[in-house]
């Protein structure tokens, strides 16, 4: 993509500042930056809610609605080639359950990627605003099923998501109808919305606890075939493993692990008993003593259904060949059972920000 010359731009043109305008040099469409809603590239590049105005033949821009605008500064030029390829693939292969790229362009100062605006941010961001940072089983089934449909489409394109986690699942409320939509971000459409307008937390830890940061879960929580082998190639089954890890996060909240050894210990004990415990932390208190640790998983403490437990355990099979495909998972009882969408709608709406217009 050629870089455009900056001559002829308005005096207030300044990428990366709320209240300023970014112009697509190819179409002359304008993007008025309304609000900072997230970041990408480990917090170095900013993401905005922007008002898009389409350039008309008369030369007068006409507002056409809000979009999400990712801005990538020139210090990250090494990411541009890969990002453009991902953006082009997403743009030419739009899928209903994936956040598809609407447009991307180079202003000579920043590379911009325009995405559909997702009003509520990521699922992990939504959970971070709640006292109890967990979802009910009905809600878990709803969001993971919608995400699985997107994951299925990615795999049909012979691609791999690689970073599947709760931070990549986005929620939007249609302003006109109140309808809730759940979509999966992938590649160029991925960004972090968990710490809006705050200093970014380093990958080494969380600001609220000593556990490993969930934002980097695709690195320290990746499938065994990826984590244990430096040169391993991600395959579709590595995404299924991450879906199992995401299910644990949604069911329990923060994963109480300080290192990969802790995570492996928890998963091994779950596999041994084929049950999910009331508390993951209790499993670690008896690390290495599997008999006593397994005694903590009792029927009377059961908090998850057999369908949920079976789905999670099969996703976390150490052998990737034995993990189900996305298509197979969609036929599991956990996802085929009738769910009440109203429960998820109530969960989202109960903490909506009425000042966010």
């Amino acid at each position: 993509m050629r870089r455009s010359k900056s001559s002829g731009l308005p005096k207030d043109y300044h990428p990366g500042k709320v209240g300023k305008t970014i112009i697509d040099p190819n179409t002359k469409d304008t993007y008025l930056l309304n609000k900072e809603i997230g970041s990408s590239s480990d917090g170095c590049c900013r993401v905005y809610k922007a008002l898009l105005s389409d350039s008309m033949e008369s030369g007068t821009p006409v507002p056409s609605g809000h979009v999400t605008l990712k801005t990538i500064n020139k210090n990250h030029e090494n990411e541009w080639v890969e990002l453009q390829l991902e953006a082009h693939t997403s743009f030419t292969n739009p899928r209903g359950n994936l956040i598809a790229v609407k447009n991307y362009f180079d202003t000579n100062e920043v590379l911009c990627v325009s995405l559909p605006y997702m009003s509520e941010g990521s699922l992990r961001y939504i959970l971070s605003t709640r006292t109890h940072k967990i979802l009910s089983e009905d809600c878990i089934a709803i969001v993971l099923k919608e995400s699985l449909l997107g994951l299925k489409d990615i795999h049909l394109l012979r691609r791999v998501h690689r970073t599947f986690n709760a931070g990549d699942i986005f929620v939007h409320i249609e302003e006109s109808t109140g309808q809730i939509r759940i979509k999966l971000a992938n590649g160029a459409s991925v960004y972090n919305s968990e710490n809006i307008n705050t200093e970014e937390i380093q990958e080494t830890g969380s600001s609220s606890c000593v556990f490993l940061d969930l934002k980097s879960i695709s690195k320290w929580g990746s499938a065994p075939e990826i984590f244990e082998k430096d040169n391993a190639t991600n395959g579709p089954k590595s995404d299924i493993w991450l879906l199992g890890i995401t299910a644990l996060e949604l069911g329990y909240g923060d994963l109480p692990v300080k290192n990969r050894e802790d995570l492996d210990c928890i998963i091994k004990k779950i596999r041994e008993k084929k049950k999910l415990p009331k508390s993951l932390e209790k499993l670690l208190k008896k690390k290495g003593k599997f008999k006593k640790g397994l005694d903590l998983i009792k029927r009377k403490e059961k908090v998850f259904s057999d369908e949920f437990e079976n789905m999670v355990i099969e996703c976390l099979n150490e052998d990737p060949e034995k993990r189900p495909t996305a298509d197979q998972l969609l036929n599991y009882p956990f996802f085929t059972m009738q769910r009440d969408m109203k429960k998820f709608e109530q969960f989202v709406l109960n903490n909506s920000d009425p000042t966010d217009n």
Side-chain angles (χ1 to χ4, degrees):
M1 183 184 293
R2 292 187 304 169
R3 297 183 184 276
S4 63
K5 296 181 180 180
S6 59
S7 59
L9 294 176
K11 291 181 180 180
D12 68 343
Y13 181 83
H14 194 301
K17 285 189 176 181
V18 171
K20 302 301 180 181
T21 299
I22 291 181
I23 298 178
D24 180 342
N26 303 308
T27 64
K28 306 305 178 184
D29 293 343
T30 64
Y31 297 82
L32 175 63
L33 307 184
N34 293 154
K35 179 181 179 182
E36 186 177 316
I37 60 172
S39 64
S40 62
S41 302
D42 296 326
C44 297
C45 301
R46 315 316 291 176
V47 181
Y48 300 89
K49 175 183 179 181
L51 178 62
L52 169 63
S53 294
D54 298 321
S55 178
M56 306 301 287
E57 291 184 5
S58 63
T60 303
V62 177
S64 60
H66 288 99
V67 298
T68 294
L69 194 70
K70 288 178 65 173
T71 62
I72 292 86
N73 60 48
K74 292 183 67 175
N75 293 330
H76 292 263
E77 287 191 70
N78 59 324
E79 300 178 22
W80 286 17
V81 173
E82 181 179 0
L83 186 59
Q84 289 177 32
L85 176 61
E86 290 178 343
H88 179 69
T89 302
S90 181
F91 184 75
T92 55
N93 294 282
R95 302 279 177 156
N97 287 81
L98 295 174
I99 299 178
V101 171
K102 295 170 70 71
N103 188 25
Y104 63 100
F105 56 92
D106 185 351
T107 71
N108 194 41
E109 294 178 273
V110 288
L111 176 69
C112 296
V113 181
S114 174
L115 310 166
Y117 178 60
M118 303 300 289
S119 63
E120 309 308 298
S122 72
L123 183 58
R124 185 177 293 142
Y125 170 69
I126 295 172
L127 288 169
S128 74
T129 67
R130 308 305 163 91
T131 302
H132 303 291
K133 307 182 190 310
I134 60 174
L135 283 178
S136 67
E137 270 200 36
D138 272 355
C139 291
I140 293 174
I142 287 168
V143 297
L144 288 188
K145 182 176 182 178
E146 295 301 311
S147 302
L148 263 174
L149 289 168
L151 206 57
K152 176 184 174 181
D153 284 337
I154 292 171
H155 294 168
L156 285 174
L157 295 172
R158 300 186 181 278
R159 296 174 69 86
V160 182
H161 191 286
R162 292 187 173 84
T163 67
F164 186 97
N165 67 90
D168 291 344
I169 303 171
F170 282 76
V171 180
H172 178 67
I173 300 177
E174 293 286 354
E175 189 174 353
S176 58
T177 64
Q179 183 179 1
I180 288 186
R181 299 189 182 278
I182 302 165
K183 290 182 179 286
L184 180 64
N186 174 54
S189 62
V190 168
Y191 67 92
N192 168 32
S193 71
E194 288 90 275
N195 289 287
I196 297 175
N197 291 326
T198 63
E199 292 297 322
E200 291 299 314
I201 297 172
Q202 297 299 315
E203 279 191 13
T204 53
S206 165
S207 63
S208 59
C209 64
V210 295
F211 302 143
L212 291 177
D213 186 8
L214 291 172
K215 289 183 204 171
S216 55
I217 197 170
S218 61
K219 297 178 182 178
W220 59 260
S222 60
E225 65 271 20
I226 305 299
F227 186 82
E228 296 168 4
K229 299 178 182 179
D230 293 337
N231 297 320
T233 302
N234 290 68
K237 295 299 184 70
S238 66
D239 286 340
I240 301 302
W241 170 278
L242 287 176
L243 186 138
I245 297 295
T246 300
L248 290 180
E249 177 190 346
L250 299 180
Y252 290 101
D254 287 333
L255 298 182
V257 297
K258 299 179 181 179
N259 48 51
R260 177 66 186 221
E261 181 186 2
D262 285 350
L263 181 66
D264 288 341
C265 176
I266 286 174
I267 293 174
K268 184 174 182 180
K269 289 183 178 183
I270 288 173
R271 286 201 208 105
E272 290 274 339
K273 190 64 176 179
K274 297 183 179 179
K275 289 286 186 294
L276 294 176
K278 185 175 182 180
S279 168
L280 295 179
E281 290 177 298
K282 287 184 179 180
L283 292 185
L284 291 174
K285 289 180 180 178
K286 299 292 183 181
K287 187 190 293 187
K289 300 179 181 180
F290 286 93
K291 186 176 186 304
K292 290 183 179 180
L294 292 173
D295 287 341
L296 293 167
I297 311 176
K298 298 179 180 179
R299 195 76 185 179
K300 65 180 181 180
E301 293 182 332
K302 188 176 179 66
V303 291
F304 298 106
S305 68
D306 291 339
E307 291 80 11
F308 180 70
E309 291 177 333
N310 179 62
M311 182 274 293
V312 172
I313 291 168
E314 293 209 26
C315 287
L316 296 178
N317 195 304
E318 191 169 13
D319 184 352
E321 294 300 318
K322 294 181 180 179
R323 292 174 212 148
T325 64
D327 197 32
Q328 289 170 338
L329 271 177
L330 286 167
N331 290 311
Y332 274 37
F334 182 67
F335 294 113
T336 58
M337 292 173 63
Q338 188 70 30
R339 304 290 180 177
D340 187 359
M341 187 65 175
K342 289 291 183 183
K343 290 185 178 180
F344 184 68
E345 290 178 1
Q346 290 169 1
F347 170 78
V348 175
L349 292 171
N350 282 347
N351 209 48
S352 293
D353 180 2
T355 65
D356 185 18
N357 298 314

